[in-house]
Amino acid sequence: MKRRERVNSLSIRTPEGIVFSMMLAGPVTRFLAYIIDVAVQVIVLMIVSYIAGLLGVFTSVLGPTFYEWVYALVMIASFAVPILYAMVLEWLWRGQTVGKRLLRLRVVDENGLRLQFTQVAIRNLLRVVDSLPALYVVGGIACVVSQKGQRLGDFAANTVVIRTPKIAEPNLDHVLSSKYNSLRDYPHIEARLRQRVSPEEAAIALQAVLRRDELDPEARIKVFEEIAAHFKTLAIFPEQATFGTADEQFVRNVVDVLFRKRETTAAAKPDKAGVGTPL
Amino acid sequence: MIIDLERFIREERPYWEELEKTLGRIESDVAYRFDLATARRLHYLYERTSTGLSRLSTFASEPELHRYLETLVARAYGEIHEVRGKSHRFAPLRWAYRTFPRTFRRNVMAFWLTVGITLAGSALGGAAVSFDVQAKDILMPFPHLQIDPRERVAEEEKEQSDKEDERQGTKVVGTSFYFTHNTQVAITTLGLGAIWGLGTIIILFMNGVMIGAVTLDYFNAGETTFLVGWLLPHGAIEIPAILIAGQGGLLLGKALIGWDSRLSIKARLRAVTPDLLTLIAGVAIMLAWAGFIEASLSQYHEPVIPYWLKIGFGTVELVLLALFLTLSGRKRGLDEEA
């Protein structure tokens, strides 16, 4: 029988045939978010207790019954805050609590659909099982074992927790000079290169340029020679464009073509999901 | 294939921004309702952006733009392809008088199963106390239940006739305590249904064992009137509430096991979650009432409150609850449709 392996991202194919993916959050990050949430709850309850203590001053005026009411409210708050905290915030903030927001996590429907209140409520009610016997042992084991990193509450509610990292652009200005790039003279071949390069290939070229000073001189020459040779097979530029250009310079020119912002594009602005638009 | 990426971005950018703005508007209002024009426009923008994402997917050079479009498409997809009912403005009365009792009736077999499990536990608890008095120490976790029933009744009745109402003022605290404790038990009872219903069955059975042991202990001691007068006012609501929580736990277990269903596990869980939520919310309301009654009525005995009055009150509560659960929101054919 084929073993179902744990995946790092959740890919969804729409009926229109478009595929988009969301990065799944790991158990450690989720536990850290939980610790932050517990700290927030403790602070809220401390504030409630402090206010209750202040109200106790009025007991002599308003009688002992007044303080009984205050005490009862503290008791209910101690019970309700841990249960309602995540439920309310995840509903109002579309799958986020304070901890999840800080660590850029979000609860989403497993099928990419709109998160419903019933899902939020069930996944939080079932924390009682996930937290057994202590410190989320059951939930943690379920999270590690599950293919999509789901604890029992997620499983019952058909939800997953994803990462919504802020996408930072590599700062290429310090590695790419503003010198003349001969490849830019051939926009149609430049476009072909962009189209043919896979994300992995582009990442290799970028990492080679960013980390070039860490390489030994011999290794540096060899690495850039191999990378340049590969890129030259993907799009064939006229000899005038590559004549006299060292392999390293050629790779830098390729990276410039692939990654460098165009002058016409505006500065990135963050969208609601924390992903910057590159427009 | 996109030859001129800059031109492509320049031309498509207004549509992406419009889609982002529309999504922001929809997402900021939980009860947002589409009009036809907005729905059509949203669909158009979604399809256009999806096409853009598809065309861009071959471009390794634009990971950030790719990610941005993925996020937009994901958000729009969630709105457009959502076929489940969108959240309505919550109508508490409609929920209380129609949704809750109908949900209960629709899953009544699970409720009868919880009754059966609890009765089986009660029989075992009763038998254990009958055959072995020492079993009380194990079966009854509360100290006031472990003493001889005759001693306890005499002590409590004497206390209440001798002194002023010592519990005056503690009713609110008592209500809060009973409510929070019992609701915690109810949530656990439902939640443990996540281990294929086994956890729920164990809790219900153990609860039954305790009820059976206490009942037989007081019955054997000739203190049945005290017991009924003490338990019935709050128990008439509290015990059915725990059973309804168990009903939810068994429904969850059934959905996980997939008995008698051709649906996938995901579809089964999707189908059952609204019912679970309705049941546990109803249980919380019932337990708030039971907590209030336990703090303000159940703890008072003769001579302060005659037993016949407490038993009568509890009986009325039980009858009203039964009528509510069986008749409220009933319309010919509607229960079945729901």
Side-chain angles (χ1 to χ4, degrees):
Chain A
M1 205 170 89
K2 194 178 174 186
R3 189 174 170 272
R4 295 203 309 166
E5 287 180 7
R6 190 180 155 79
V7 291
N8 288 327
S9 66
L10 180 69
S11 290
I12 292 169
R13 178 178 285 276
T14 71
E16 294 83 1
I18 309 298
V19 179
F20 60 87
S21 60
M22 298 182 274
M23 283 181 285
L24 294 170
V28 176
T29 326
R30 289 178 64 175
F31 191 71
L32 289 175
Y34 169 72
I35 298 282
I36 295 171
D37 287 332
V38 169
V40 173
Q41 290 171 38
V42 169
I43 291 168
V44 169
L45 289 174
M46 280 169 68
I47 292 169
V48 170
S49 302
Y50 182 72
I51 293 170
L54 287 180
L55 289 173
V57 175
F58 299 104
T59 309
S60 55
V61 183
L62 297 169
T65 312
F66 172 72
Y67 195 72
E68 298 282 353
W69 273 96
V70 173
Y71 184 66
L73 287 176
V74 171
M75 196 186 282
I76 288 184
S78 308
F79 167 73
V81 166
I83 291 178
L84 296 180
Y85 166 81
M87 219 182 271
V88 172
L89 285 187
E90 283 178 7
W91 177 234
L92 292 179
W93 288 354
R94 299 182 73 79
Q96 288 190 307
T97 56
V98 174
K100 288 191 180 79
R101 195 168 261 216
L102 287 174
L103 295 182
R104 297 195 163 276
L105 306 180
R106 186 183 288 273
V107 183
V108 296
D109 181 272
E110 199 181 351
N111 294 329
L113 300 174
R114 190 188 173 100
L115 195 62
Q116 301 238 317
F117 179 71
T118 49
Q119 293 178 288
V120 171
I122 287 296
R123 78 180 295 280
N124 283 300
L125 281 176
L126 291 191
R127 277 183 195 280
V128 71
V129 188
D130 281 307
S131 59
L132 289 174
L135 291 172
Y136 275 78
V137 170
V138 168
I141 291 171
C143 203
V144 170
V145 170
S146 151
Q147 195 193 13
K148 294 173 187 165
Q150 292 168 296
R151 60 176 177 81
L152 293 180
D154 285 318
F155 193 73
N158 277 324
T159 53
V160 288
V161 181
I162 59 160
R163 287 162 50 206
T164 56
K166 191 172 186 176
I167 295 171
E169 282 184 277
N171 182 7
L172 300 175
D173 289 340
H174 71 284
V175 288
L176 299 175
S177 63
S178 53
K179 281 181 188 168
Y180 163 70
N181 181 351
S182 56
L183 305 187
R184 294 273 190 200
D185 291 343
Y186 303 91
H188 61 294
I189 307 178
E190 195 187 332
R192 194 177 303 152
L193 179 70
R194 281 207 200 98
Q195 203 250 326
R196 287 184 178 172
V197 173
S198 71
E200 292 77 19
E201 289 166 332
I204 287 170
L206 176 65
Q207 286 303 315
V209 171
L210 289 173
R211 295 159 67 182
R212 66 192 194 286
D213 291 334
E214 298 169 22
L215 300 170
D216 292 332
E218 279 180 29
R220 183 169 170 170
I221 291 167
K222 198 165 179 348
V223 163
F224 280 102
E225 185 187 338
E226 284 181 17
I227 295 172
H230 178 72
F231 279 103
K232 280 174 184 172
T233 63
L234 297 178
I236 299 166
F237 285 87
E239 208 180 331
Q240 301 93 296
T242 54
F243 182 74
T245 309
D247 289 330
E248 185 174 325
Q249 185 58 47
F250 177 78
V251 175
R252 288 169 71 174
N253 287 348
V254 167
V255 171
D256 182 55
V257 165
L258 296 177
F259 290 98
R260 181 90 97 168
K261 274 250 178 271
R262 284 146 202 83
E263 286 178 6
T264 49
T265 55
K269 58 172 184 177
D271 74 328
K272 272 202 148 192
V275 180
T277 151
L279 303 175
Chain B
M1 177 178 158
I2 306 164
I3 297 290
D4 189 344
L5 190 62
E6 286 174 48
R7 190 173 151 204
F8 167 74
I9 293 172
R10 207 167 43 244
E11 284 177 358
E12 293 300 313
R13 181 181 167 183
Y15 296 101
W16 300 337
E17 285 183 345
E18 187 185 344
L19 178 60
E20 193 176 354
K21 206 180 281 179
T22 309
L23 287 171
R25 212 167 53 235
I26 294 166
E27 289 168 355
S28 62
D29 183 3
V30 170
Y32 185 88
R33 312 295 294 175
F34 290 103
D35 56 51
L36 188 59
T38 312
R40 278 186 177 152
R41 186 67 184 162
L42 178 67
H43 188 244
Y44 172 75
L45 293 170
Y46 162 69
E47 293 209 318
R48 189 165 183 134
T49 310
S50 298
T51 310
L53 175 64
S54 178
R55 292 172 73 190
L56 198 76
S57 59
T58 51
F59 272 87
S61 54
E62 298 296 336
E64 201 189 347
L65 178 60
H66 190 271
R67 185 87 192 115
Y68 167 65
L69 291 186
E70 268 195 328
T71 310
L72 268 188
V73 169
R75 287 164 67 192
Y77 171 81
E79 299 297 336
I80 286 173
H81 288 276
E82 179 58 83
V83 289
R84 297 168 294 178
K86 210 166 179 184
S87 305
H88 299 282
R89 296 270 182 215
F90 183 60
L93 286 179
R94 184 187 165 86
W95 178 87
Y97 289 105
R98 291 176 72 169
T99 311
F100 175 54
R102 280 183 188 175
T103 305
F104 170 80
R105 288 196 292 272
R106 198 164 51 245
N107 303 294
V108 76
M109 282 308 293
F111 176 77
W112 289 124
L113 193 55
T114 62
V115 173
I117 293 164
T118 307
L119 286 177
S122 301
L124 181 74
V129 170
S130 299
F131 293 117
D132 180 10
V133 185
Q134 304 298 322
K136 272 175 71 173
D137 298 342
I138 301 162
L139 300 179
M140 300 178 196
F142 305 111
H144 64 278
L145 292 176
Q146 288 174 1
I147 57 173
D148 184 85
R150 278 173 291 250
E151 277 178 37
R152 183 190 168 198
V153 172
E155 206 173 281
E156 293 216 3
E157 286 179 352
K158 187 170 183 303
E159 256 181 34
Q160 295 199 357
S161 59
D162 288 353
K163 294 175 185 174
E164 287 290 305
D165 182 5
E166 278 188 339
R167 291 186 173 89
Q168 187 66 44
T170 61
K171 294 184 189 73
V172 183
V173 176
T175 302
S176 309
F177 171 75
Y178 294 125
F179 167 68
T180 53
H181 173 262
N182 291 335
T183 307
Q184 190 66 49
V185 171
I187 291 173
T188 308
T189 307
L190 185 143
L192 285 176
I195 41 178
W196 303 282
L198 286 174
T200 301
I201 291 171
I202 291 168
I203 287 196
L204 289 172
F205 189 81
M206 293 311 294
N207 214 19
V209 167
M210 202 173 67
I211 293 171
V214 173
T215 305
L216 215 86
D217 192 32
Y218 277 70
F219 177 77
N220 287 342
E223 297 294 349
T224 313
T225 311
F226 174 87
L227 177 75
V228 178
W230 168 49
L231 279 185
L232 200 59
H234 67 275
I237 304 295
E238 185 185 298
I239 294 171
I242 298 296
L243 293 177
I244 292 172
Q247 178 185 19
L250 293 184
L251 288 177
L252 181 57
K254 187 186 169 197
L256 286 165
I257 295 167
W259 224 342
D260 201 23
S261 171
R262 291 186 179 188
L263 296 173
S264 69
I265 188 166
K266 280 183 194 173
R268 294 196 301 267
L269 288 168
R270 264 191 202 286
V272 82
T273 43
D275 282 0
L276 299 185
L277 202 62
T278 300
L279 291 175
I280 199 67
V283 165
I285 293 169
M286 289 169 73
L287 290 176
W289 172 254
F292 171 69
I293 295 299
E294 188 167 4
S296 53
L297 182 63
S298 294
Q299 306 302 332
Y300 293 88
H301 313 294
E302 282 186 348
V304 178
I305 301 176
Y307 289 129
W308 65 264
L309 190 61
K310 292 174 73 179
I311 294 170
F313 180 79
T315 309
V316 170
E317 274 183 312
L318 195 59
V319 170
L320 287 177
L321 178 66
L323 288 174
F324 170 74
L325 290 173
T326 50
L327 298 177
S328 185
R330 182 182 282 276
K331 252 185 183 175
R332 196 182 294 273
L334 265 182
D335 275 13
E336 286 71 27
E337 281 171 30

